[in-house]
Coordinates of all heavy atoms in Angstrom, one line a residue:
M297 N -109.9 -10.0 73.8 CA -110.2 -10.4 72.5 C -109.2 -10.0 71.5 O -108.7 -8.9 71.6 CB -111.6 -9.9 72.0 CG -112.8 -10.4 72.8 SD -114.3 -9.6 72.0 CE -114.9 -11.1 71.3
N298 N -108.9 -10.8 70.5 CA -108.0 -10.3 69.6 C -108.6 -9.4 68.6 O -109.8 -9.4 68.4 CB -107.1 -11.5 69.0 CG -108.0 -12.3 68.1 OD1 -109.0 -11.9 67.6 ND2 -107.6 -13.6 67.9
E299 N -107.8 -8.7 67.9 CA -108.3 -7.7 66.9 C -109.2 -8.3 65.8 O -110.1 -7.7 65.4 CB -107.1 -6.9 66.3 CG -107.5 -5.7 65.5 CD -106.3 -5.0 65.1 OE1 -105.3 -4.8 65.9 OE2 -106.3 -4.5 64.0
L300 N -108.8 -9.4 65.3 CA -109.5 -10.1 64.2 C -110.9 -10.4 64.7 O -111.9 -10.2 63.9 CB -108.8 -11.4 63.8 CG -109.5 -12.2 62.7 CD1 -109.5 -11.3 61.4 CD2 -108.7 -13.4 62.3
K301 N -111.1 -11.0 65.9 CA -112.5 -11.2 66.4 C -113.3 -10.0 66.6 O -114.5 -9.9 66.3 CB -112.4 -12.0 67.7 CG -112.1 -13.4 67.6 CD -112.2 -14.1 69.0 CE -111.8 -15.6 68.8 NZ -112.0 -16.3 70.1
I302 N -112.7 -8.9 67.1 CA -113.4 -7.7 67.2 C -113.9 -7.2 65.8 O -115.0 -6.7 65.6 CB -112.5 -6.6 67.9 CG1 -112.3 -7.1 69.4 CG2 -113.1 -5.2 67.9 CD1 -111.3 -6.2 70.1
L303 N -113.0 -7.2 64.8 CA -113.4 -6.7 63.5 C -114.5 -7.6 62.9 O -115.4 -7.1 62.2 CB -112.1 -6.8 62.6 CG -111.1 -5.7 62.9 CD1 -109.9 -5.9 62.0 CD2 -111.6 -4.3 62.7
E304 N -114.4 -8.9 63.1 CA -115.5 -9.8 62.6 C -116.9 -9.5 63.3 O -117.9 -9.4 62.6 CB -115.2 -11.3 62.9 CG -114.1 -11.8 62.0 CD -113.7 -13.2 62.4 OE1 -114.2 -13.8 63.3 OE2 -112.8 -13.7 61.7
Q305 N -116.8 -9.2 64.6 CA -118.0 -8.9 65.3 C -118.6 -7.5 64.8 O -119.8 -7.4 64.6 CB -117.8 -8.8 66.8 CG -117.7 -10.2 67.5 CD -117.6 -10.1 68.9 OE1 -117.2 -9.1 69.4 NE2 -117.9 -11.2 69.6
L306 N -117.7 -6.6 64.6 CA -118.1 -5.3 64.2 C -118.8 -5.4 62.7 O -119.8 -4.8 62.4 CB -116.9 -4.3 64.1 CG -117.2 -2.9 63.6 CD1 -118.2 -2.2 64.6 CD2 -115.9 -2.1 63.6
D307 N -118.2 -6.2 61.9 CA -118.7 -6.5 60.6 C -120.1 -7.1 60.7 O -121.0 -6.6 60.0 CB -117.8 -7.4 59.8 CG -118.2 -7.6 58.3 OD1 -118.6 -6.5 57.7 OD2 -118.2 -8.7 57.9
R308 N -120.3 -8.0 61.5 CA -121.7 -8.6 61.7 C -122.7 -7.6 62.2 O -123.8 -7.5 61.8 CB -121.6 -9.8 62.7 CG -121.2 -11.1 62.0 CD -121.4 -12.2 63.0 NE -120.0 -12.8 63.2 CZ -119.4 -13.0 64.3 NH1 -120.2 -12.9 65.4 NH2 -118.2 -13.4 64.4
I309 N -122.2 -6.8 63.2 CA -123.2 -5.7 63.7 C -123.5 -4.7 62.5 O -124.7 -4.4 62.4 CB -122.5 -5.0 64.9 CG1 -122.3 -5.9 66.1 CG2 -123.3 -3.7 65.2 CD1 -121.5 -5.4 67.1
E310 N -122.6 -4.4 61.7 CA -122.8 -3.4 60.6 C -123.8 -4.0 59.6 O -124.8 -3.4 59.2 CB -121.6 -3.0 59.9 CG -120.7 -2.1 60.7 CD -119.4 -1.9 59.9 OE1 -119.0 -2.6 59.0 OE2 -118.7 -0.9 60.3
K311 N -123.7 -5.3 59.4 CA -124.6 -6.0 58.4 C -126.0 -6.1 59.1 O -127.0 -5.8 58.3 CB -124.1 -7.4 58.2 CG -122.9 -7.5 57.2 CD -122.3 -8.8 57.0 CE -121.1 -8.8 56.2 NZ -120.6 -10.2 55.9
L312 N -126.1 -6.3 60.3 CA -127.4 -6.3 60.9 C -128.1 -5.0 60.9 O -129.3 -4.9 60.7 CB -127.3 -6.8 62.4 CG -127.1 -8.3 62.6 CD1 -126.8 -8.6 64.1 CD2 -128.3 -9.1 62.1
V313 N -127.4 -3.9 61.2 CA -127.9 -2.6 61.1 C -128.4 -2.2 59.7 O -129.5 -1.7 59.5 CB -126.9 -1.5 61.6 CG1 -127.3 -0.1 61.4 CG2 -126.6 -1.7 63.1
R314 N -127.6 -2.6 58.7 CA -128.0 -2.3 57.4 C -129.2 -3.1 56.9 O -130.0 -2.7 56.1 CB -126.9 -2.6 56.4 CG -125.9 -1.5 56.3 CD -124.8 -1.7 55.2 NE -123.5 -2.0 55.9 CZ -122.8 -3.1 55.6 NH1 -123.2 -3.9 54.7 NH2 -121.8 -3.3 56.3
A315 N -129.4 -4.3 57.6 CA -130.5 -5.2 57.1 C -131.9 -4.6 57.6 O -132.8 -5.2 57.2 CB -130.3 -6.5 57.7
H316 N -131.9 -3.6 58.4 CA -133.2 -3.1 58.9 C -133.8 -2.1 57.8 O -134.8 -1.5 58.1 CB -133.1 -2.4 60.2 CG -132.9 -3.4 61.3 ND1 -133.7 -4.5 61.4 CD2 -132.0 -3.4 62.3 CE1 -133.3 -5.2 62.4 NE2 -132.3 -4.6 63.0
K317 N -133.2 -1.9 56.6 CA -133.7 -1.2 55.6 C -134.9 -1.8 55.0 O -135.0 -3.0 55.1 CB -132.6 -0.8 54.6 CG -131.5 0.0 55.1 CD -130.4 0.2 54.0 CE -130.4 -0.5 52.7 NZ -129.5 -0.2 51.8
A318 N -135.8 -1.1 54.4 CA -136.9 -1.8 53.6 C -136.6 -2.5 52.5 O -137.1 -3.4 52.0 CB -138.0 -0.7 53.4
V319 N -135.5 -1.9 51.7 CA -135.1 -2.5 50.4 C -133.6 -2.9 50.6 O -132.8 -2.1 51.1 CB -135.2 -1.5 49.3 CG1 -134.7 -2.1 48.0 CG2 -136.7 -1.1 49.1
L320 N -133.4 -4.1 50.3 CA -132.0 -4.7 50.5 C -131.3 -5.0 49.1 O -132.0 -5.4 48.1 CB -132.1 -6.0 51.3 CG -132.8 -5.9 52.6 CD1 -132.9 -7.4 53.2 CD2 -132.0 -5.1 53.6
T321 N -130.0 -4.9 49.0 CA -129.3 -5.3 47.9 C -129.1 -6.8 47.9 O -129.5 -7.4 48.9 CB -127.9 -4.6 47.9 OG1 -127.1 -5.0 49.0 CG2 -128.0 -3.0 47.9
F322 N -128.5 -7.3 46.9 CA -128.3 -8.7 46.8 C -127.5 -9.2 48.0 O -127.9 -10.2 48.6 CB -127.7 -9.1 45.5 CG -127.5 -10.6 45.3 CD1 -128.6 -11.4 44.7 CD2 -126.3 -11.3 45.6 CE1 -128.5 -12.7 44.6 CE2 -126.2 -12.6 45.4 CZ -127.2 -13.3 44.9
D323 N -126.4 -8.6 48.2 CA -125.5 -9.0 49.3 C -126.2 -8.9 50.7 O -126.1 -9.8 51.6 CB -124.2 -8.3 49.3 CG -123.3 -8.7 48.1 OD1 -123.4 -9.9 47.7 OD2 -122.5 -7.9 47.6
Q324 N -126.9 -7.8 50.8 CA -127.6 -7.6 52.1 C -128.7 -8.6 52.4 O -128.9 -9.1 53.4 CB -128.2 -6.2 52.2 CG -127.2 -5.1 52.2 CD -127.8 -3.7 52.0 OE1 -128.9 -3.6 51.5 NE2 -127.1 -2.7 52.5
A325 N -129.4 -9.0 51.2 CA -130.4 -10.1 51.3 C -129.8 -11.3 51.7 O -130.4 -12.1 52.5 CB -131.2 -10.2 50.1
C326 N -128.6 -11.7 51.2 CA -127.9 -12.9 51.5 C -127.5 -13.0 53.0 O -127.8 -13.9 53.7 CB -126.6 -13.1 50.7 SG -126.9 -13.4 48.9
D327 N -127.1 -11.8 53.5 CA -126.7 -11.7 54.9 C -127.9 -11.8 55.8 O -127.9 -12.5 56.8 CB -126.0 -10.3 55.2 CG -124.6 -10.3 54.5 OD1 -124.0 -11.4 54.4 OD2 -124.1 -9.2 54.4
Y328 N -129.0 -11.1 55.4 CA -130.2 -11.1 56.1 C -130.8 -12.4 56.3 O -131.3 -12.9 57.4 CB -131.1 -10.1 55.5 CG -132.5 -9.9 56.2 CD1 -132.6 -9.3 57.4 CD2 -133.7 -10.5 55.6 CE1 -133.8 -9.1 58.0 CE2 -134.9 -10.4 56.3 CZ -134.9 -9.7 57.5 OH -136.1 -9.5 58.2
T329 N -130.9 -13.3 55.2 CA -131.6 -14.5 55.2 C -130.6 -15.7 55.5 O -131.1 -16.8 56.1 CB -132.1 -14.9 53.7 OG1 -131.0 -14.9 52.8 CG2 -133.2 -13.9 53.3
G330 N -129.3 -15.4 55.4 CA -128.4 -16.6 55.7 C -128.3 -17.5 54.6 O -127.6 -18.5 54.7
I331 N -128.7 -17.0 53.4 CA -128.7 -17.9 52.2 C -127.3 -17.5 51.4 O -127.0 -16.4 51.3 CB -129.9 -17.7 51.3 CG1 -131.1 -18.1 52.0 CG2 -129.7 -18.4 50.0 CD1 -132.4 -17.8 51.2
S332 N -126.6 -18.5 51.0 CA -125.3 -18.3 50.3 C -125.7 -17.5 49.0 O -126.8 -17.6 48.4 CB -124.6 -19.6 50.0 OG -125.3 -20.4 49.0
R333 N -124.6 -16.9 48.5 CA -124.8 -16.1 47.2 C -125.2 -17.0 46.1 O -126.1 -16.7 45.3 CB -123.4 -15.4 47.0 CG -123.2 -14.2 47.9 CD -121.8 -13.6 47.5 NE -121.6 -13.2 46.1 CZ -122.0 -12.0 45.7 NH1 -122.6 -11.2 46.4 NH2 -121.8 -11.8 44.4
S334 N -124.5 -18.2 46.0 CA -124.8 -19.1 44.9 C -126.2 -19.6 44.9 O -126.9 -19.6 43.8 CB -123.8 -20.3 44.8 OG -123.9 -21.0 45.9
Y335 N -126.7 -20.0 46.0 CA -128.1 -20.4 46.2 C -129.1 -19.3 45.9 O -130.1 -19.5 45.3 CB -128.4 -21.1 47.5 CG -129.7 -21.8 47.6 CD1 -130.0 -22.8 46.7 CD2 -130.6 -21.4 48.6 CE1 -131.2 -23.5 46.8 CE2 -131.8 -22.1 48.7 CZ -132.1 -23.1 47.8 OH -133.3 -23.7 47.8
M336 N -128.7 -18.1 46.4 CA -129.6 -16.9 46.1 C -129.7 -16.7 44.6 O -130.8 -16.4 44.2 CB -129.1 -15.7 46.9 CG -130.0 -14.6 46.8 SD -131.6 -14.7 47.7 CE -131.1 -14.2 49.2
Y337 N -128.6 -16.8 43.9 CA -128.7 -16.7 42.5 C -129.5 -17.8 41.8 O -130.3 -17.4 40.8 CB -127.2 -16.7 41.8 CG -126.5 -15.5 41.9 CD1 -125.3 -15.4 42.5 CD2 -127.0 -14.3 41.2 CE1 -124.5 -14.2 42.5 CE2 -126.2 -13.1 41.2 CZ -125.1 -13.1 41.9 OH -124.3 -11.9 41.9
K338 N -129.5 -18.9 42.3 CA -130.3 -20.0 41.8 C -131.8 -19.7 42.0 O -132.6 -19.9 41.1 CB -130.0 -21.3 42.4 CG -128.7 -21.9 41.9 CD -128.3 -23.2 42.5 CE -127.0 -23.7 42.2 NZ -126.6 -24.9 42.9
L339 N -132.1 -19.2 43.2 CA -133.5 -18.9 43.5 C -134.1 -17.8 42.7 O -135.2 -17.8 42.2 CB -133.6 -18.5 45.1 CG -133.4 -19.6 46.0 CD1 -133.4 -19.1 47.4 CD2 -134.5 -20.7 45.9
T340 N -133.2 -16.7 42.4 CA -133.7 -15.6 41.6 C -133.9 -16.1 40.2 O -134.8 -15.7 39.5 CB -132.8 -14.4 41.7 OG1 -131.5 -14.8 41.4 CG2 -132.8 -13.8 43.1
A341 N -132.9 -16.9 39.7 CA -132.9 -17.4 38.2 C -134.2 -18.2 38.0 O -134.8 -18.2 36.9 CB -131.7 -18.1 37.9
R342 N -134.6 -19.0 39.0 CA -135.7 -19.9 38.9 C -137.0 -19.1 39.2 O -138.1 -19.6 39.0 CB -135.6 -21.0 39.9 CG -134.5 -22.0 39.6 CD -134.6 -23.1 40.7 NE -133.3 -23.8 40.7 CZ -132.8 -24.5 41.7 NH1 -133.5 -24.5 42.8 NH2 -131.7 -25.2 41.6
G343 N -136.9 -17.9 39.7 CA -138.1 -17.1 40.1 C -138.8 -17.6 41.3 O -140.0 -17.5 41.5
E344 N -138.0 -18.3 42.2 CA -138.6 -18.8 43.4 C -138.6 -17.9 44.6 O -139.2 -18.3 45.6 CB -137.9 -20.2 43.8 CG -138.0 -21.3 42.7 CD -137.2 -22.5 43.1 OE1 -136.8 -22.7 44.2 OE2 -137.1 -23.3 42.2
I345 N -138.0 -16.7 44.5 CA -137.9 -15.8 45.6 C -138.3 -14.5 45.0 O -137.9 -14.1 43.8 CB -136.5 -15.8 46.2 CG1 -136.5 -15.0 47.5 CG2 -135.4 -15.3 45.3 CD1 -135.2 -15.3 48.3
P346 N -139.1 -13.6 45.7 CA -139.5 -12.3 45.2 C -138.4 -11.4 45.2 O -137.6 -11.2 46.1 CB -140.6 -11.9 46.2 CG -140.3 -12.6 47.4 CD -139.7 -13.9 47.1
F347 N -138.2 -10.7 44.0 CA -137.1 -9.7 43.9 C -137.5 -8.7 42.8 O -138.4 -8.9 42.1 CB -135.7 -10.4 43.5 CG -135.7 -11.0 42.1 CD1 -135.2 -10.3 41.1 CD2 -136.2 -12.3 41.9 CE1 -135.2 -10.9 39.8 CE2 -136.2 -12.9 40.6 CZ -135.6 -12.2 39.6
S348 N -136.8 -7.6 42.7 CA -136.9 -6.6 41.7 C -135.7 -6.3 41.0 O -134.5 -6.5 41.6 CB -137.4 -5.3 42.4 OG -138.6 -5.5 43.0
K349 N -135.8 -6.0 39.7 CA -134.6 -5.7 38.9 C -135.0 -4.4 38.1 O -135.3 -4.5 36.9 CB -134.4 -6.8 38.0 CG -132.9 -7.2 37.7 CD -132.8 -8.5 37.0 CE -131.3 -8.8 36.7 NZ -131.2 -10.0 36.0
P350 N -135.0 -3.3 38.7 CA -135.6 -2.1 38.1 C -134.9 -1.6 36.8 O -135.5 -1.2 35.9 CB -135.5 -1.0 39.2 CG -134.5 -1.5 40.2 CD -134.5 -3.0 40.1
K351 N -133.7 -1.7 36.7 CA -132.9 -1.3 35.5 C -132.4 -2.5 34.7 O -131.6 -2.3 33.8 CB -131.7 -0.3 35.9 CG -132.1 0.9 36.6 CD -132.4 2.0 35.6 CE -132.7 3.3 36.3 NZ -132.9 4.4 35.5
G352 N -132.8 -3.6 35.1 CA -132.4 -4.9 34.4 C -131.0 -5.3 34.7 O -130.5 -6.2 34.1
K353 N -130.4 -4.8 35.8 CA -129.1 -5.2 36.1 C -128.9 -5.5 37.6 O -128.6 -6.7 37.8 CB -128.1 -4.0 35.8 CG -126.7 -4.4 35.6 CD -125.8 -3.3 35.1 CE -124.4 -3.9 34.8 NZ -123.6 -3.0 34.0
L354 N -129.1 -4.6 38.5 CA -129.0 -4.9 39.9 C -130.3 -5.5 40.4 O -131.4 -5.2 40.0 CB -128.8 -3.6 40.7 CG -127.4 -2.8 40.3 CD1 -127.3 -1.5 41.0 CD2 -126.3 -3.7 40.6
I355 N -130.1 -6.4 41.4 CA -131.2 -7.1 42.0 C -131.5 -6.6 43.4 O -130.5 -6.3 44.2 CB -130.9 -8.6 42.1 CG1 -130.7 -9.2 40.8 CG2 -132.1 -9.3 42.9 CD1 -130.2 -10.6 40.8
F356 N -132.8 -6.2 43.7 CA -133.2 -5.7 45.0 C -134.2 -6.5 45.6 O -135.0 -7.2 44.9 CB -133.6 -4.3 44.9 CG -132.6 -3.4 44.5 CD1 -132.5 -2.9 43.2 CD2 -131.7 -2.8 45.4 CE1 -131.4 -2.1 42.7 CE2 -130.6 -1.9 44.9 CZ -130.6 -1.6 43.6
F357 N -134.4 -6.6 46.9 CA -135.3 -7.4 47.6 C -136.0 -6.6 48.6 O -135.4 -5.7 49.4 CB -134.6 -8.5 48.4 CG -133.9 -9.5 47.5 CD1 -132.6 -9.3 47.1 CD2 -134.5 -10.6 47.0 CE1 -131.9 -10.1 46.2 CE2 -133.8 -11.5 46.2 CZ -132.5 -11.3 45.8
S358 N -137.3 -6.8 48.8 CA -138.1 -6.1 49.8 C -137.9 -7.0 51.0 O -138.2 -8.2 51.0 CB -139.6 -6.1 49.4 OG -140.4 -5.9 50.5
R359 N -137.5 -6.3 52.2 CA -137.3 -7.1 53.4 C -138.7 -7.7 53.8 O -138.8 -8.9 54.3 CB -136.8 -6.2 54.6 CG -136.4 -7.0 55.8 CD -135.6 -6.2 56.7 NE -136.1 -4.8 57.1 CZ -137.0 -4.7 58.1 NH1 -137.3 -5.6 58.9 NH2 -137.4 -3.5 58.4
E360 N -139.8 -7.0 53.7 CA -141.1 -7.5 54.0 C -141.4 -8.8 53.2 O -141.9 -9.8 53.8 CB -142.1 -6.4 53.8 CG -143.5 -6.8 54.3 CD -144.5 -5.6 54.1 OE1 -144.2 -4.5 54.5 OE2 -145.6 -5.8 53.5
K361 N -141.2 -8.7 51.9 CA -141.5 -9.9 51.0 C -140.5 -11.1 51.4 O -140.9 -12.2 51.3 CB -141.3 -9.5 49.6 CG -142.5 -8.7 49.1 CD -142.4 -8.3 47.7 CE -143.5 -7.5 47.2 NZ -143.4 -7.2 45.7
L362 N -139.2 -10.8 51.7 CA -138.4 -11.8 52.2 C -138.8 -12.5 53.5 O -138.8 -13.7 53.5 CB -137.0 -11.2 52.3 CG -136.1 -11.0 51.1 CD1 -134.7 -10.4 51.5 CD2 -135.8 -12.3 50.4
D363 N -139.3 -11.7 54.4 CA -139.8 -12.2 55.6 C -141.0 -13.2 55.4 O -141.1 -14.3 55.9 CB -140.3 -11.2 56.6 CG -139.1 -10.5 57.1 OD1 -137.9 -10.9 57.2 OD2 -139.3 -9.3 57.7
S364 N -141.9 -12.7 54.5 CA -143.0 -13.6 54.1 C -142.6 -14.8 53.4 O -143.1 -15.9 53.7 CB -143.9 -12.7 53.2 OG -145.0 -13.5 52.8
W365 N -141.7 -14.8 52.5 CA -141.2 -15.9 51.7 C -140.5 -16.9 52.7 O -140.7 -18.1 52.6 CB -140.2 -15.4 50.7 CG -139.7 -16.5 49.9 CD1 -140.3 -17.2 48.8 CD2 -138.4 -17.2 50.1 NE1 -139.4 -18.2 48.4 CE2 -138.3 -18.2 49.1 CE3 -137.3 -17.0 50.9 CZ2 -137.2 -19.0 48.9 CZ3 -136.2 -17.8 50.8 CH2 -136.2 -18.8 49.8
L366 N -139.7 -16.3 53.6 CA -139.0 -17.2 54.6 C -140.0 -18.0 55.5 O -139.7 -19.1 55.9 CB -138.0 -16.4 55.5 CG -136.8 -15.9 54.8 CD1 -136.0 -14.9 55.6 CD2 -135.8 -17.0 54.4
L367 N -141.1 -17.4 55.9 CA -142.0 -18.0 56.7 C -143.1 -18.8 56.0 O -144.0 -19.3 56.7 CB -142.6 -16.9 57.6 CG -141.7 -16.2 58.6 CD1 -142.4 -15.1 59.3 CD2 -141.1 -17.1 59.6
N368 N -143.0 -18.8 54.7 CA -144.0 -19.5 53.9 C -143.8 -21.0 54.2 O -142.7 -21.4 54.5 CB -143.6 -19.2 52.4 CG -144.7 -19.8 51.5 OD1 -145.8 -20.2 51.9 ND2 -144.5 -19.6 50.2
N369 N -144.8 -21.7 54.1 CA -144.8 -23.2 54.3 C -144.4 -23.6 55.6 O -143.6 -24.5 55.9 CB -143.9 -23.8 53.3 CG -144.2 -25.3 53.0 OD1 -145.2 -25.8 53.5 ND2 -143.2 -26.0 52.5
S370 N -145.0 -22.9 56.7 CA -144.7 -23.2 58.1 C -145.4 -24.4 58.5 O -146.4 -24.9 57.9 CB -145.1 -22.0 59.0 OG -146.5 -21.9 58.9
H371 N -144.9 -25.1 59.5 CA -145.5 -26.3 60.1 C -146.0 -26.1 61.5 O -145.4 -25.4 62.3 CB -144.4 -27.4 60.0 CG -144.0 -27.8 58.7 ND1 -144.7 -28.6 57.8 CD2 -142.9 -27.3 57.9 CE1 -144.0 -28.6 56.7 NE2 -143.0 -27.9 56.7
S372 N -147.1 -26.6 61.8 CA -147.6 -26.5 63.1 C -147.0 -27.5 64.1 O -146.6 -28.6 63.7 CB -149.2 -26.9 63.1 OG -149.9 -26.0 62.2
S373 N -146.9 -27.1 65.4 CA -146.3 -27.9 66.4 C -147.3 -29.1 66.7 O -148.5 -28.9 66.4 CB -146.0 -27.2 67.6 OG -147.1 -26.7 68.3
K374 N -146.9 -30.1 67.4 CA -147.8 -31.1 67.8 C -148.9 -30.6 68.7 O -150.0 -31.0 68.6 CB -147.1 -32.2 68.5 CG -146.2 -33.1 67.6 CD -145.4 -34.1 68.4 CE -144.5 -34.9 67.4 NZ -143.9 -36.0 68.1
D375 N -148.6 -29.6 69.6 CA -149.6 -29.1 70.5 C -150.6 -28.3 69.7 O -151.8 -28.4 70.0 CB -148.9 -28.2 71.5 CG -148.1 -28.9 72.6 OD1 -148.4 -30.2 72.8 OD2 -147.3 -28.3 73.2
E376 N -150.2 -27.6 68.7 CA -151.2 -26.8 67.9 C -152.1 -27.8 67.1 O -153.3 -27.5 67.0 CB -150.4 -25.9 66.9 CG -149.7 -24.7 67.5 CD -148.8 -24.0 66.6 OE1 -148.2 -24.6 65.6 OE2 -148.7 -22.8 66.8
I377 N -151.6 -28.9 66.6 CA -152.3 -29.8 65.9 C -153.4 -30.5 66.8 O -154.6 -30.6 66.4 CB -151.5 -30.9 65.2 CG1 -150.6 -30.2 64.1 CG2 -152.3 -32.1 64.7 CD1 -149.5 -31.2 63.6
K378 N -152.9 -30.8 68.0 CA -153.8 -31.5 69.0 C -154.9 -30.5 69.4 O -156.1 -30.8 69.5 CB -153.1 -31.9 70.3 CG -152.3 -33.1 70.1 CD -151.5 -33.4 71.4 CE -150.5 -34.5 71.2 NZ -149.7 -34.8 72.5
R379 N -154.6 -29.2 69.7 CA -155.6 -28.2 70.0 C -156.6 -27.9 68.9 O -157.8 -27.9 69.1 CB -154.8 -26.9 70.3 CG -155.6 -25.9 71.1 CD -154.8 -24.6 71.5 NE -153.4 -25.0 71.9 CZ -152.3 -24.5 71.4 NH1 -152.4 -23.5 70.6 NH2 -151.1 -24.9 71.8
G380 N -156.1 -27.9 67.7 CA -157.0 -27.8 66.5 C -157.9 -29.0 66.4 O -159.1 -28.9 66.0
A381 N -157.4 -30.2 66.7 CA -158.3 -31.4 66.6 C -159.4 -31.4 67.6 O -160.5 -31.7 67.3 CB -157.4 -32.7 66.7
V382 N -159.0 -31.0 68.8 CA -160.0 -30.9 69.9 C -161.1 -29.9 69.6 O -162.3 -30.1 69.8 CB -159.3 -30.6 71.3 CG1 -160.3 -30.3 72.4 CG2 -158.4 -31.7 71.7
E383 N -160.6 -28.7 69.1 CA -161.6 -27.7 68.7 C -162.5 -28.1 67.6 O -163.7 -27.9 67.6 CB -160.9 -26.4 68.3 CG -160.1 -25.6 69.4 CD -159.3 -24.5 68.9 OE1 -159.3 -24.1 67.8 OE2 -158.6 -24.0 69.8
Y384 N -161.9 -28.8 66.7 CA -162.7 -29.4 65.5 C -163.7 -30.3 66.0 O -164.9 -30.3 65.6 CB -161.8 -30.0 64.5 CG -162.6 -30.6 63.4 CD1 -163.1 -29.8 62.3 CD2 -162.8 -31.9 63.3 CE1 -163.7 -30.4 61.2 CE2 -163.5 -32.5 62.2 CZ -164.0 -31.7 61.2 OH -164.7 -32.3 60.2
T385 N -163.3 -31.2 66.9 CA -164.2 -32.2 67.4 C -165.4 -31.7 68.2 O -166.6 -32.1 68.0 CB -163.4 -33.1 68.4 OG1 -162.3 -33.8 67.7 CG2 -164.3 -34.3 68.9
F386 N -165.1 -30.6 69.0 CA -166.2 -30.0 69.8 C -167.1 -29.2 68.9 O -168.3 -29.2 69.1 CB -165.7 -29.1 70.9 CG -165.2 -29.9 72.1 CD1 -163.9 -29.8 72.5 CD2 -166.0 -30.7 72.8 CE1 -163.4 -30.5 73.6 CE2 -165.6 -31.4 73.9 CZ -164.3 -31.4 74.3
R387 N -166.6 -28.6 67.9 CA -167.5 -27.8 67.0 C -168.4 -28.7 66.1 O -169.5 -28.3 65.8 CB -166.6 -27.0 65.9 CG -166.3 -25.7 66.4 CD -165.7 -24.9 65.2 NE -164.7 -25.7 64.5 CZ -163.5 -25.4 64.4 NH1 -162.9 -24.3 64.8 NH2 -162.6 -26.2 63.8
N388 N -167.9 -29.9 65.7 CA -168.6 -30.8 64.9 C -169.2 -32.0 65.6 O -169.6 -33.0 65.0 CB -167.7 -31.3 63.8 CG -167.3 -30.1 62.9 OD1 -168.1 -29.3 62.4 ND2 -166.0 -30.1 62.7
K389 N -169.4 -31.8 66.9 CA -170.0 -32.9 67.7 C -171.5 -33.0 67.4 O -172.2 -32.1 67.3 CB -169.8 -32.6 69.2 CG -170.1 -33.7 70.1 CD -169.7 -33.3 71.6 CE -169.8 -34.4 72.4 NZ -169.5 -34.0 73.8
R390 N -171.8 -34.3 67.2 CA -173.3 -34.6 66.9 C -173.9 -35.2 68.2 O -173.4 -36.0 68.8 CB -173.4 -35.6 65.8 CG -172.8 -34.9 64.5 CD -172.9 -35.8 63.4 NE -172.2 -35.3 62.2 CZ -172.2 -35.8 61.0 NH1 -172.9 -36.9 60.8 NH2 -171.5 -35.2 60.1
F391 N -175.1 -34.7 68.4 CA -175.8 -35.2 69.6 C -176.8 -36.3 69.3 O -177.4 -36.4 68.4 CB -176.5 -34.0 70.3 CG -175.5 -33.0 70.9 CD1 -175.2 -31.9 70.1 CD2 -174.9 -33.3 72.0 CE1 -174.3 -30.9 70.6 CE2 -174.0 -32.3 72.6 CZ -173.7 -31.2 71.9

């Protein structure tokens, strides 16, 4: 491998290690979620993503709240929907 690829991989590994903290900085949250900086700024400005601004300047994110926000609005698979329909049918079966 060439030196540039090794440095890029090392940088990615460092970012992943830092992302296991409970509280993330703005840049760490962008790396953690895969959201670009500009879009993350838009989300915070609109109040669409949970964040903290303790001194009114720096933005921090709770990793737990980010995980919850990322998994918000999940969709069921076709198999889960079918299973739920069958369970509902058997529960509400009229004799």
Side-chain angles (χ1 to χ4, degrees):
M297 294 179 112
N298 68 25
E299 191 175 320
L300 182 59
K301 283 187 178 182
I302 292 171
L303 291 174
E304 287 174 358
Q305 285 183 340
L306 182 59
D307 188 45
R308 273 188 250 131
I309 291 168
E310 286 176 345
K311 288 177 181 179
L312 286 172
V313 169
R314 279 187 252 129
H316 288 314
K317 297 181 343 180
V319 177
L320 304 173
T321 63
F322 184 84
D323 288 332
Q324 290 169 341
C326 290
D327 291 335
Y328 181 73
T329 60
I331 296 173
S332 69
R333 290 176 54 86
S334 62
Y335 189 57
M336 185 68 86
Y337 275 122
K338 287 178 186 175
L339 291 172
T340 56
R342 294 179 194 155
E344 295 179 15
I345 191 168
F347 68 95
S348 297
K349 218 170 177 180
K351 298 271 184 179
K353 198 167 190 173
L354 298 176
I355 299 173
F356 295 97
F357 298 86
S358 162
R359 189 166 51 91
E360 186 176 311
K361 288 182 181 179
L362 279 177
D363 288 341
S364 178
W365 181 81
L366 287 168
L367 296 174
N368 192 6
N369 200 12
S370 65
H371 298 278
S372 300
S373 69
K374 289 181 181 182
D375 288 339
E376 290 171 329
I377 293 170
K378 286 179 186 177
R379 200 171 321 127
V382 169
E383 288 173 9
Y384 177 81
T385 303
F386 282 121
R387 264 193 317 239
N388 298 309
K389 192 174 188 179
R390 297 182 187 186
F391 294 97

